[in-house]
Amino acid sequence: MIPIKSITAIELDQKLKQQHKLVLLDVREPSEVNFCKIEGAMHIPMNLIPLYLDKIPDEIDIVIYCHHGVRSLNVANYLAENGFDTDYLYNLTGGIDAWALMVDKNMPRY
């Protein structure tokens, strides 16, 4: 297993407010995204990642998230194993649930 960097919801919020150039990659299922999402995120469900590798930018920070951070960590490892530079890969600790608890307290949780 390749070590993947993690980022907290607070750190991600700071980067977004500073307009840090990054890609938010939401790997949840469509029904989850319909319930709540972080605006501006690219949505590719986890099971479709292998089909869309060429759509994911490289050489830019990629913050991957799911509900609690488990699926997104698996996707980050998959990307690393398929040639993405781990210097640019981040897993959102606690996923969108942590985002709802710490950053967007009005976001619905599930």
Side-chain angles (χ1 to χ4, degrees):
M1 182 112 64
I2 301 161
I4 301 295
K5 293 183 282 191
S6 60
I7 187 171
T8 67
I10 300 297
E11 291 168 334
L12 174 59
D13 186 44
Q14 290 168 346
K15 283 185 180 281
L16 292 172
K17 285 178 178 167
Q18 295 166 356
Q19 298 183 335
H20 185 89
K21 194 163 173 63
L22 58 82
V23 172
L24 279 172
L25 178 57
D26 186 340
V27 298
R28 297 174 302 144
E29 293 299 311
S31 60
E32 294 174 282
V33 174
N34 289 337
F35 190 76
C36 64
K37 64 184 174 199
I38 300 173
E39 286 304 318
M42 169 188 279
H43 175 235
I44 305 174
M46 180 178 175
N47 65 321
L48 297 180
I49 291 290
L51 300 175
Y52 291 96
L53 280 178
D54 62 330
K55 303 290 186 216
I56 302 169
D58 53 8
E59 305 289 319
I60 183 174
D61 288 345
I62 304 170
V63 177
I64 307 161
Y65 72 92
C66 59
H67 189 201
H68 287 116
V70 177
R71 287 175 283 176
S72 53
L73 181 58
N74 287 327
V75 169
N77 278 303
Y78 181 82
L79 293 179
E81 290 165 3
N82 282 275
F84 282 76
D85 189 334
T86 56
D87 287 343
Y88 298 106
L89 296 176
Y90 294 85
N91 183 48
L92 179 59
T93 304
I96 200 166
D97 194 55
W99 181 265
L101 285 170
M102 295 180 216
V103 177
D104 185 353
K105 296 180 187 334
N106 293 318
M107 178 180 278
R109 293 178 61 218
Y110 61 99

